[in-house]
Amino acid sequence: MKAIVNGRILLPDTEVHSKALLYDEAIIGIVDEADARREADEVLDANGAYVAPGLMDVHIHGYGGDDVSDDDPAGVRRMSEKLLENGVTSFLPTTLTVGWDTLISVCGHMRVLARESQRPEYPGAEILGVHLEGPFINPERKGAQNPEYILPPDADKVLPYADIVKLITLAPEMPGGYDCIRTLKQQSDIAISMGHSSATFDQAMTGIGLGVTRATHLFNAMSPMHHRDPGVVGAALNSDVYTELIADTFHVNKGIYPMLAKTKGSKLVLITDALRSAGMPDGEYENGGQVFVLKGIECRLRDGTIAGSVLRLNQGVRHFRDYGGVTMAQAVRAASLSAAESIGLADTKGSLSPGKDADITLLNDDCGVLKTIVRGVCKFD
């Protein structure tokens, strides 16, 4: 049994002082420090740092030069190891709209890697499954997705991979969209997110009624709010769906953060939408058969279209805390428990509750990562 003492323990809505966190492979509980020092075989002094649940990125395409849609298992392994430095203990490798054969192959490789990543000796963050961002999207809102590979929504294509696909982004208004949502809802546990969509408010609300429970990267690649048709944005804000935010201060102006914090509360999910250029220098990169340019925090296709981000999830937590008018506990919740809830994994992930996997990150006041612990094993220090 291990213990972390002298830290500020973050619960979903508050922080606890002068207590210790006990864990082994799973969280045991929060106890008096004296008891922890007496009972634990190994004691870690946090030196006043935040003791937070491990961060979970449910929408990330690439990092450090690698990308999920390359269909290279070695690249995803490298990604998972590098993500530890950002406090990420688990993630959903996220595909782009690429060829269906490639997507099938990615799913097969991720089945193997997901099991591998649960082993104590695995050197990286745990792979929870796959997020299919497309190919069932609206060409009008394709953003930086490749239109060559867009397909009509078809649940029968996805259901054979329901064991590994945990999340799918689709446009509900496309022909076959409602049937696809209904079937996936009835025959799988896949979380369904509306995104890259030109849906009207009524169409989006119909999708929600059929089984949509999330909105992908709010405001980006979706019909905007208008007083005569609130669009996908209005439906996301006016319903109980979980709503993603890329909190890099570029995709969504930081002046919007307080409104989102008040409107969505615990249903707000921080993501990165990071590309292979994350953690890399400025320059030109390729994703899904298209070339984009990184300059500072901006990724754009050569025609100026915004193309994902280079955000680190711990940076997103800091931005949301500093500009959203929320506490550190609330900001971390948006990148941990809310993310886990949004894909149906809150029973085992997302908080420091007894019985859950011991996924822990130690953060300083600036949200810099000091240590990252995955299932009780320290994998970044």
Side-chain angles (χ1 to χ4, degrees):
M1 182 168 57
K2 304 172 187 177
I4 301 176
V5 301
N6 191 24
R8 292 170 281 176
I9 301 173
L10 294 180
L11 302 182
D13 297 304
T14 189
E15 60 183 72
V16 175
H17 298 245
S18 302
K19 295 285 186 178
L21 181 70
L22 285 180
Y23 66 98
D24 43 31
E25 294 85 1
I27 301 296
I28 297 172
I30 297 172
V31 301
D32 290 338
E33 287 198 349
D35 293 337
R37 292 180 185 276
R38 182 173 59 253
E39 297 174 13
D41 303 311
E42 180 181 325
V43 177
L44 170 63
D45 190 335
N47 293 309
Y50 289 108
V51 181
L55 306 184
M56 178 186 293
D57 198 343
V58 295
H59 187 158
I60 177 169
H61 299 281
Y63 193 83
D66 291 300
D67 189 272
V68 176
S69 294
D70 293 341
D71 192 24
D72 176 12
V76 177
R77 288 190 191 94
R78 288 190 294 267
M79 275 180 61
S80 68
E81 188 167 358
K82 293 172 184 175
L83 288 175
L84 297 170
E85 66 187 26
N86 304 333
V88 173
T89 55
S90 60
F91 69 109
L92 287 182
T94 304
T95 58
L96 296 161
T97 295
V98 294
W100 186 252
D101 288 345
T102 300
L103 296 179
I104 290 173
S105 182
V106 169
C107 287
H109 287 138
M110 291 308 105
R111 278 191 181 116
V112 176
L113 280 184
R115 293 191 294 269
E116 181 182 321
S117 70
Q118 294 178 2
R119 299 172 186 163
E121 66 272 16
Y122 184 79
E126 183 180 347
I127 294 164
L128 300 171
V130 174
H131 174 181
L132 295 178
E133 189 183 15
F136 308 148
I137 61 175
N138 192 322
E140 294 178 357
R141 300 284 178 179
K142 68 182 186 301
Q145 303 274 13
N146 194 330
E148 179 181 350
Y149 300 111
I150 293 174
L151 297 174
D154 185 350
D156 289 339
K157 283 183 170 291
V158 180
L159 286 173
Y161 311 97
D163 61 314
I164 192 64
V165 175
K166 301 301 180 186
L167 174 60
I168 185 168
T169 292
L170 55 77
E173 77 281 7
M174 296 301 289
Y178 293 155
D179 287 339
C180 181
I181 293 166
R182 186 184 295 109
T183 302
L184 290 178
K185 178 69 173 178
Q186 293 173 347
Q187 299 185 28
S188 78
D189 294 323
I190 298 171
I192 306 167
S193 194
M194 54 185 178
H196 289 276
S197 168
S198 290
T200 65
F201 177 79
D202 289 343
Q203 288 173 328
M205 293 302 293
T206 296
I208 291 169
L210 291 172
V212 168
T213 59
R214 304 175 86 266
T216 297
H217 45 50
L218 187 67
F219 297 110
N220 292 275
M222 61 176 57
S223 47
M225 179 179 284
H226 187 278
H227 60 283
R228 283 189 289 275
D229 183 357
V232 176
V233 171
L237 296 178
N238 198 44
S239 65
D240 201 32
V241 299
Y242 289 91
T243 303
E244 294 181 354
L245 171 66
I246 308 172
D248 62 356
T249 72
F250 168 58
H251 279 79
V252 178
N253 188 284
K254 62 187 178 184
I256 300 287
Y257 296 1
M259 182 197 76
L260 294 179
K262 294 174 184 176
T263 304
K264 298 307 300 184
S266 63
K267 294 297 183 88
L268 190 72
V269 177
L270 296 180
I271 61 155
T272 62
D273 195 19
L275 304 177
R276 72 168 80 248
S277 51
M280 301 290 283
D282 287 358
E284 290 193 351
Y285 297 86
E286 182 273 335
N287 253 42
Q290 300 191 102
V291 175
F292 66 94
V293 180
L294 169 63
K295 184 177 181 181
I297 64 171
E298 298 184 16
C299 292
R300 296 180 183 269
L301 298 182
R302 285 171 172 163
D303 65 4
T305 302
I306 296 173
S309 89
V310 290
L311 180 67
R312 301 169 188 253
L313 195 52
N314 58 315
Q315 292 175 331
V317 169
R318 187 183 75 236
H319 291 159
F320 190 53
R321 179 197 64 185
D322 291 350
Y323 305 125
V326 299
T327 65
M328 183 67 168
Q330 291 169 321
V332 167
R333 188 197 206 285
S336 53
L337 183 57
S338 294
E341 289 172 342
S342 80
I343 58 171
L345 294 181
D347 287 346
T348 57
K349 299 287 185 183
S351 69
L352 302 177
S353 299
K356 291 192 179 185
D357 294 338
D359 295 340
I360 306 163
T361 185
L362 270 60
L363 303 169
N364 63 24
D365 287 342
D366 200 36
C367 295
V369 177
L370 307 175
K371 293 181 186 293
T372 304
I373 297 166
V374 182
R375 290 178 176 253
V377 178
C378 185
K379 297 189 177 182
F380 173 79
D381 184 353

